[in-house]
Amino acid sequence: MTGIKHRLLVVDDEVEVCEIIREVGETAGYEVKTTTSGVEFCALYLNFNPTFILLDLNIPEFDGIELLRFLAQHNCTCPIVLESGQDEKVLAISSKLGEEMGLTMGPYFQKPVSVTKLMSALETNKEAPQDDSPDFLRHAIANKRIVLHYQPKVSFKTNQVVGIEALVRLEVQGKLIPPDSFIPLAEESNLIRSLSQLIVQIAFQEYKSIINTYPEISLSVNLSPKTLDDLLMPDEFTKMAQEHNIDTKNICLEITETAFSEHKLLIADVITRFRIKGFTISIDDFGTGYSSLAQLHNLPFNEIKIDKSFITHLGEDLEARKITQSVIDLGHSLGLTVTAEGIETKEVWDILASQGCDIAQGFYICHPLEFDKLTKWLALARDGVHTNHEHLSNV
Ligand code: C2E
Ligand code: MG
Ligand code: MG
């Protein structure tokens, strides 16, 4: 894994100031890009992925507030330092406005900017917060320390890989933190939207690189319940798919069953619009939430994923077997695909195959793998090595 890259983006109408800041930034270990133009700043922001922004409030074409609005619209999570020749009150109010737009505002500086203060702000930004606070997560997102692992989905009938599911991890000091430890924090601190966008961006980028080789494989992405009341999401995801030349019908959105208890109408609106735009929708962890049957009736799902708590011990648990058989029959009678997750043994695979389950996922077939390993696994799997899953588990 490569170390964190620190990237400083500067917009200031004075070329000489840009050059001084460049020198300070490079001394502090940043890769630096500078511009005197607001238009160029917007283009650079989109391509350079800055981890720190220095923004002069008075620049040609746009004013600083318009640029802050642009950054907010693009879910910018990195800290922004304002500088200006204006009096301190204008700087303070602009910084407050930025905060209200949901941006992370750093200190602000009156011109001429003190090199010592600037250096100190740059150094502080490089130190990751050490606890499990929202700032810690914000920092991780801003620095793109999000890693996706992928777990294959295999057809019971054909033994072929039909899909991959993206599962997020956070990389902290060389260790990977599982999603259950930080998704709830992201949901509570309103970071889930920028996190979801980053996850989808990474997943689309990686998936795009294998579509031509494996056109039959779809991509599943987990969506947090908390993002389902966002009416803009279906359009945003569709646009991102188009930008990556991905057909939305190859993207499955997995939504946890417990998500549907609140904001029913809004959620039904968002899910239905995802369907209209071509995405397929899966009800994840089926059997663990509330009013499962009502949800199946009211929402346009394509897939049921039976929760692993029913699957893992199927071998010994006769009751669980009756439940899985009923869910498979129910799913089929509604015209849905039924997937079982958490298959850890051949015995459980065989039971579910005999019950007519459609798709299998679990450690028996393959653990979630980082993208490079996944591509190797897929190449082996394509040669039909699937019939003996254990050999593939630890590629
Ligand atoms: P999930 O979507 O139901 O994913 C299945 C979880 O079961 C994954 O845990 C996977 O690693 C694990 N698993 C797979 N096969 C087996 C097996 O055979 N046995 C057992 N015991 N476990 C198995 P993981 O990666 O820790 O993810 C946990 C949950 O976090 C996911 O459950 C999902 O709800 C959430 N999550 C993961 N990635 C994302 C994401 O990108 N966005 C959001 N919003 N949530 C995510
Ligand atoms: Mg899932
Ligand atoms: Mg699940």
Side-chain angles (χ1 to χ4, degrees):
M1 201 96 37
T2 50
I4 303 164
K5 290 234 171 66
H6 304 289
R7 292 175 295 273
L8 169 65
L9 177 58
V10 182
V11 57
D12 192 300
D13 66 340
E14 293 173 76
V15 181
E16 305 77 35
V17 175
C18 284
E19 283 319 303
I20 294 170
I21 298 175
R22 174 192 298 286
E23 222 167 276
V24 179
E26 286 176 353
T27 310
Y30 283 72
E31 187 185 342
V32 184
K33 291 219 190 288
T34 66
T35 174
T36 54
S37 140
V39 173
E40 198 188 4
F41 171 82
C42 295
L44 280 172
Y45 171 75
L46 297 173
N47 294 318
F48 182 52
N49 277 337
T51 60
F52 200 63
I53 291 175
L54 203 79
L55 193 154
D56 183 359
L57 285 177
N58 310 91
I59 35 145
E61 306 135 0
F62 287 110
D63 63 51
I65 304 299
E66 284 174 295
L67 289 184
L68 288 179
R69 202 169 298 121
F70 166 86
L71 292 171
Q73 278 161 358
H74 287 82
N75 300 306
C76 172
T77 48
C78 77
I80 302 161
V81 164
L82 299 179
E83 42 137 345
S84 169
Q86 307 264 358
D87 69 32
E88 192 156 331
K89 194 161 178 199
V90 175
L91 274 165
I93 291 173
S94 307
S95 180
K96 207 155 189 333
L97 266 175
E99 264 168 29
E100 277 165 18
M101 292 177 199
L103 294 167
T104 308
M105 304 305 295
Y108 45 82
F109 299 129
Q110 257 185 301
K111 274 186 170 180
V113 179
S114 138
V115 169
T116 322
K117 282 187 187 163
L118 179 59
M119 186 59 117
S120 148
L122 288 166
E123 290 294 351
T124 309
N125 182 57
K126 279 163 59 183
E127 295 157 14
Q130 290 301 308
D131 56 21
D132 58 353
S133 67
D135 276 350
F136 170 81
L137 195 56
R138 201 186 298 275
H139 193 274
I141 297 170
N143 286 289
K144 313 278 187 286
R145 291 207 316 245
I146 302 296
V147 178
L148 296 187
H149 281 191
Y150 295 88
Q151 190 177 36
K153 297 169 79 174
V154 171
S155 159
F156 276 105
K157 270 201 198 100
T158 64
N159 255 334
Q160 299 298 307
V161 182
V162 291
I164 49 173
E165 177 181 3
L167 295 159
V168 67
R169 280 96 180 83
L170 202 61
E171 197 233 323
V172 179
Q173 291 161 359
K175 285 199 203 116
L176 292 179
I177 302 185
D180 291 337
S181 322
F182 62 89
I183 293 279
L185 180 64
E187 288 173 338
E188 281 161 27
S189 51
N190 284 333
L191 284 168
I192 193 67
R193 195 168 190 275
S194 36
L195 180 62
S196 304
Q197 286 209 328
L198 186 56
I199 290 168
V200 170
Q201 231 166 44
I202 299 170
F204 282 9
Q205 190 102 34
E206 292 183 325
Y207 176 58
K208 180 186 167 183
S209 70
I210 60 161
I211 300 177
N212 288 340
T213 322
Y214 303 102
E216 70 286 3
I217 293 182
S218 64
L219 169 71
S220 293
V221 181
N222 291 283
L223 261 198
S224 164
K226 301 277 180 200
T227 55
L228 282 180
D229 55 3
D230 184 348
L231 287 167
L232 297 176
M233 203 138 240
D235 289 322
E236 282 176 6
F237 279 26
T238 307
K239 192 162 160 252
M240 276 199 259
Q242 281 164 351
E243 281 166 3
H244 289 86
N245 278 328
I246 295 171
D247 191 336
T248 51
K249 78 172 185 341
N250 291 325
I251 305 295
C252 176
L253 302 174
E254 295 193 5
I255 301 165
T256 309
E257 194 194 346
T258 44
F260 312 123
S261 39
E262 279 179 273
H263 310 299
K264 281 199 182 91
L265 201 62
L266 201 55
I267 287 173
D269 181 324
V270 172
I271 293 183
T272 309
R273 287 180 53 239
F274 268 126
R275 272 299 303 274
I276 291 169
K277 290 177 184 302
F279 293 89
T280 55
I281 311 286
S282 172
I283 184 165
D284 203 351
D285 300 347
F286 187 80
T288 57
Y290 306 99
S291 13
S292 324
L293 298 178
Q295 303 309 342
L296 275 184
H297 188 222
N298 295 331
L299 292 168
F301 292 106
N302 307 85
E303 179 191 63
I304 292 180
K305 270 188 112 165
I306 311 176
D307 188 64
K308 56 178 177 290
S309 59
F310 298 100
I311 305 294
T312 312
H313 303 292
L314 266 193
E316 315 86 75
D317 190 340
L318 265 181
E319 217 163 73
R321 262 190 239 187
K322 288 182 186 163
I323 294 174
T324 52
Q325 184 67 71
S326 312
V327 175
I328 291 165
D329 293 343
L330 172 71
H332 287 168
S333 67
L334 293 170
L336 307 177
T337 303
V338 182
T339 297
E341 62 181 7
I343 301 175
E344 294 184 0
T345 60
K346 180 172 182 337
E347 185 187 17
V348 172
W349 166 287
D350 287 341
I351 295 168
L352 288 159
S354 74
Q355 290 187 328
C357 192
D358 303 300
I359 295 171
Q361 216 180 343
F363 296 164
Y364 171 60
I365 301 136
C366 183
H367 283 255
L369 300 172
E370 60 191 78
F371 187 69
D372 285 353
K373 286 194 173 163
L374 173 86
T375 55
K376 290 189 188 122
W377 190 93
L378 289 175
L380 281 174
R382 184 164 248 195
D383 298 335
V385 199
H386 276 311
T387 38
N388 192 349
H389 300 288
E390 283 107 324
H391 287 296
L392 280 170
S393 298
N394 298 312
V395 174

